[in-house]
């Protein structure tokens, strides 16, 4: 094919070309240009190793999955559908907050900008595969020895093209593609963290509001007991010690409410900042009391192997290994010769109007070959550097998987044990409620002292408060489970053209 093409150029009618018959040197130069161009059009070799996704062993199942105190973490053979896991809480306000956070969170916007930056950096690498052309023009005025002067006008262009025969530039493009995957997974990791932080702060806010309500209810009960004790003191049925104890319990409960209110306000501030707003922007909206998000009756966790394709940190570690592998090829290409084509064309004349005269042209074209013969071991040392870097990324990939497995197992066992703890707390609160009713009746009848009433009321307050804290902790552990499983990013499409890797 290519010899035939060269022959066509050689045999092209000279009157069509508008030049004098080409000299033998010019013909040889043209042939060399086409021969080198042919090299680049042929399937070029790519030096360096081709990337293959590293293998990873994962266990067959989760130790923490199974029947957990009345609720279930279900391990299924199909991937868990947790792309929008927060909707399992059935809380429209939480759904709205997360939607707004994804639109306006500042950290996510920075991560998105880094994706655009990586794509632009890839364009720089792709430019290495293409020719570069420069246009120039100049004017010179010189004084001659005879005392006169002369003008010289020049206009033209020069071009160069380094042929990627051994694939060094293509490996650079490959590394840039993999680097895009790295920053895309970074952005997805930010998204996973963002959704979990909004949900966690929201659960803590609702839990604190519930604790405030419980404290106020217990405070009202304790104030009624204090008023009753004061009346009994006036009747001479009790001593001032009972009144002092009742007053102390009322004051103790009152002291917890401002602390809870401060904690609730801090949670609102945190949510607002996650949404990219000023801290006080959501105070009016979120001050309205709402219950703690209810955990669903069943939590699908899928299989451990699902983590390899779902968790952004594992996907990022794999992309980093791809980057390091491609850079070995970039370094290896320096061992081989570089082929390039260069050419120039110019017009020069003593008058500006002479630039239009074709007879004033000059041109040059030819190939160049450079081959490093002695670099003092620099090239091979660089290859070793890149090999070591690749080895480190593969080790880091294995470590990322182990930490991911540990994180999931840890949250599963914490979630399971919190379910058991909550069941016991429910029984304790019910028993304390009966104890308060009984103690108050016996005290009214004069059959028990006031200390038993105080102890029963204190125990009830503590158990009800503990039940709310358990509800919050259960929600926190469930949110942590979804985060550990890598849920929360698949539902949102990446920025246009942000990655070549398909969404699972």
């Amino acid at each position: 094919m290519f010899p035939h093409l060269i022959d066509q150029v050689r045999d092209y009618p000279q009157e069509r070309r508008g030049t004098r018959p080409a000299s033998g040197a010019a013909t040889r130069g043209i042939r060399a240009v086409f021969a080198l161009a042919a090299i680049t059009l042929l399937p070029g070799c790519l030096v360096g190793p081709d990337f293959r996704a590293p293998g990873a062993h994962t266990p067959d199942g989760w130790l923490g999955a199974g029947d957990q105190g009345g609720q279930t973490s279900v391990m299924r053979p199909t991937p868990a559908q947790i792309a929008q896991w927060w909707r399992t809480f059935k809380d429209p306000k939480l759904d709205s907050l997360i939607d707004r956070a994804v639109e306006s969170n500042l950290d996510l916007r920075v991560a998105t900008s880094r994706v655009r930056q990586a794509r632009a950096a890839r364009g720089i690498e792709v430019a290495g595969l293409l020719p570069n052309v420069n246009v120039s023009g100049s004017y010179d005025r010189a004084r001659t020895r005879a005392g006169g002067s002369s003008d010289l006008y020049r206009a033209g262009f020069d071009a160069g093209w380094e042929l990627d025969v051994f694939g060094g530039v293509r490996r650079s493009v490959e590394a840039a593609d993999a680097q895009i995957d790295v920053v895309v997974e970074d952005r997805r990791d930010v998204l996973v963290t963002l959704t979990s932080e909004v949900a966690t702060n929201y659960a803590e806010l609702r839990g604190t509001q519930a604790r405030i309500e419980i404290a106020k209810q217990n405070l009202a009960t304790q104030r009624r007991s204090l008023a009753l004790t004061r009346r009994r003191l006036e009747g001479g049925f009790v001593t001032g010690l009972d009144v002092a104890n009742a007053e102390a319990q009322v004051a103790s409960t009152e002291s917890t409410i401002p602390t809870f209110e401060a904690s609730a306000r801090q949670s609102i501030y945190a949510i607002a900042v996650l949404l990219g707003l000023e801290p006080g922007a959501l105070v009016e909206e979120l001050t309205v009391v709402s219950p703690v998000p209810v955990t669903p009756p069943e939590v699908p966790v899928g299989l451990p192997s699902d983590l390899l394709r779902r968790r952004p940190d594992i996907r990022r570690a794999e992309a980093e290994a791809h980057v390091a592998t491609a850079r070995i090829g970039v370094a290896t290409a320096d061992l081989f010769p570089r082929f390039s084509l260069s050419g120039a064309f110019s017009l020069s004349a003593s008058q500006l109007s002479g630039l239009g005269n074709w007879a004033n042209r000059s041109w040059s074209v030819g190939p160049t070959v450079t081959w490093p013969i002695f670099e003092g071991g620099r090239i091979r040392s660089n290859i070793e550097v890149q090999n070591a870097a690749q080895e480190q990324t593969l080790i880091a990939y294995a470590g990322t998987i182990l930490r991911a497995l540990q994180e999931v197992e840890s949250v599963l066992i914490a979630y399971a044990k919190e379910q058991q703890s909550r069941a016991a707390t429910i029984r304790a609160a019910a028993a304390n409620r009966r104890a308060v009713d009984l103690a108050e009746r016996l005290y009214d009848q004069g059959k028990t002292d006031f200390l038993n009433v105080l102890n029963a009321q204190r125990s009830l307050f503590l158990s009800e408060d503990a039940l709310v804290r358990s509800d919050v902790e259960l929600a926190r552990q469930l949110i942590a489970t979804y985060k550990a499983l890598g849920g929360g990013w698949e539902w949102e499409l990446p920025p246009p053209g942000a990655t070549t890797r398909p969404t699972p």
Side-chain angles (χ1 to χ4, degrees):
M1 170 183 177
F2 295 108
H4 177 66
L5 185 61
I6 294 173
D7 290 339
Q8 283 184 326
V9 173
R10 182 191 59 196
D11 299 334
Y12 193 66
Q14 294 169 7
E15 65 273 15
R16 295 276 302 274
R17 281 183 272 172
T19 63
R20 298 187 303 273
S23 65
T27 302
R28 288 193 296 271
I30 293 174
R31 287 181 178 178
V33 169
F34 274 88
L36 283 176
I39 293 175
T40 61
L41 296 176
L42 291 172
C45 63
L46 283 172
V47 297
D50 292 327
F51 176 73
R52 292 180 178 83
H57 172 73
T58 57
D60 296 331
W62 300 109
L63 298 175
D67 189 13
Q68 309 293 351
Q71 293 197 15
T72 307
S73 298
V74 179
M75 183 174 63
R76 293 174 175 169
T78 56
Q81 301 301 315
I82 55 175
Q84 298 186 60
W85 52 262
W86 53 90
R87 301 194 185 278
T88 62
F89 287 111
K90 307 297 184 183
D91 191 320
K93 180 60 67 176
L94 175 60
D95 298 343
S96 172
L97 291 172
I98 290 181
D99 288 343
R100 284 181 278 170
V102 171
E103 291 178 359
S104 56
N105 177 261
L106 300 182
D107 291 336
L108 190 60
R109 290 170 62 184
V110 170
T112 303
S113 177
R114 286 175 180 155
V115 173
R116 293 196 298 270
Q117 181 183 13
R119 289 197 60 80
R122 179 189 182 274
I124 296 174
E125 302 298 337
V126 171
L129 293 169
L130 305 175
N132 59 80
V133 180
N134 300 305
V135 177
S136 62
S138 67
Y139 163 72
D140 291 323
R141 183 175 180 82
R143 184 178 179 83
T144 64
R145 291 182 179 181
S149 61
S150 64
D151 297 327
L152 181 62
Y153 296 88
R154 292 191 185 92
F157 68 89
D158 61 85
W161 186 14
E162 182 175 335
L163 311 180
D164 189 34
V165 177
F166 296 99
V169 179
R170 281 170 285 166
R171 288 298 191 192
S172 296
V173 174
E174 180 184 351
D177 284 332
Q179 185 61 36
I180 292 175
D181 286 345
V182 170
V183 294
V184 166
E185 299 307 331
D186 278 335
R187 182 182 181 278
R188 290 170 173 171
D189 204 11
V190 171
L191 189 57
V192 169
T193 301
L194 172 63
T195 55
S196 65
E197 286 187 356
V198 172
T200 298
N201 279 281
Y202 182 79
E204 291 176 349
L205 168 64
R206 297 314 187 191
T208 304
Q209 290 174 336
R211 296 177 72 183
I212 293 172
E213 293 301 312
I214 290 173
K216 289 180 177 180
Q217 293 171 7
N218 279 273
L219 180 60
T221 300
Q222 292 165 8
R223 282 174 174 168
R224 287 195 298 271
S225 298
L226 174 59
L228 175 61
T229 305
R230 284 173 174 167
R231 289 196 298 271
R232 291 177 65 85
L233 176 63
E234 293 172 357
F237 297 104
V238 298
T239 66
L241 179 61
D242 287 347
V243 174
N245 285 331
E247 290 174 343
Q249 179 144 299
V250 168
S252 177
T253 303
E254 284 178 335
S255 68
T256 64
I257 295 176
T259 303
F260 292 155
E261 291 174 340
S263 179
R265 185 61 65 89
Q266 290 166 356
S267 295
I268 294 175
Y269 294 161
I271 294 172
V273 172
L274 289 172
L275 268 62
L277 304 173
E278 295 180 358
L282 300 178
V283 171
E284 182 177 355
E285 177 182 351
L286 295 180
T287 300
V288 179
V289 177
S290 184
V292 178
V294 179
T295 55
E298 182 179 283
V299 183
V301 296
L303 297 174
S305 58
D306 295 341
L307 294 186
L308 302 182
R309 304 316 310 161
R310 182 187 291 129
R311 277 188 60 128
D313 57 340
I314 296 178
R315 293 161 61 93
R316 179 180 62 238
E318 180 182 326
E320 288 173 342
H322 192 173
V323 172
T325 303
R327 285 175 178 167
I328 296 175
V330 176
T332 304
D334 291 337
L335 290 171
F336 298 91
R338 294 176 181 268
F339 300 90
S340 59
L341 301 174
S342 60
F345 176 85
S346 65
L347 294 167
S348 58
S350 59
Q351 295 182 354
L352 184 60
S353 60
L355 294 180
N357 188 345
W358 192 245
N360 294 328
R361 74 189 184 279
S362 63
W363 60 270
S364 66
V365 63
T368 303
V369 178
T370 59
W371 195 347
I373 301 301
F374 179 74
E375 292 282 342
R378 179 187 63 84
I379 295 176
R380 294 194 179 276
S381 295
N382 187 35
I383 295 173
E384 289 301 316
V385 167
Q386 301 305 326
N387 279 323
Q390 184 209 36
E391 180 183 8
Q392 293 164 27
T393 59
L394 295 175
I395 295 172
Y397 176 77
T400 302
I401 292 175
L402 290 178
R403 287 189 295 273
L405 294 172
Q406 176 195 5
E407 185 179 351
V408 175
E409 291 288 13
S410 296
V411 295
L412 286 179
I413 191 63
Y415 182 59
K417 296 306 178 183
E418 188 59 40
Q419 288 172 334
Q420 297 174 8
S421 175
R422 182 177 181 276
T425 305
I426 291 174
R427 295 194 299 270
N432 285 323
R433 203 170 289 111
R434 293 194 301 269
V436 167
D437 292 339
L438 181 59
E440 288 178 346
R441 286 200 304 271
L442 292 175
Y443 181 68
D444 287 342
Q445 299 169 8
K447 296 180 179 180
T448 187
D449 56 33
F450 190 64
L451 183 60
N452 288 329
V453 176
L454 291 179
N455 288 335
Q457 290 177 342
R458 185 182 300 111
S459 296
L460 176 60
F461 173 56
L462 293 176
S463 62
E464 288 181 337
D465 185 74
L467 182 57
V468 173
R469 286 187 285 110
S470 181
D471 289 339
V472 173
E473 185 61 23
L474 200 61
R476 282 169 50 91
Q477 293 300 335
L478 182 57
I479 293 167
T481 299
Y482 287 130
K483 179 185 177 183
L485 292 173
W489 65 265
E490 300 100 325
W491 67 282
E492 191 204 36
L493 294 176
T499 180
T500 56
R501 174 177 292 168
T503 298

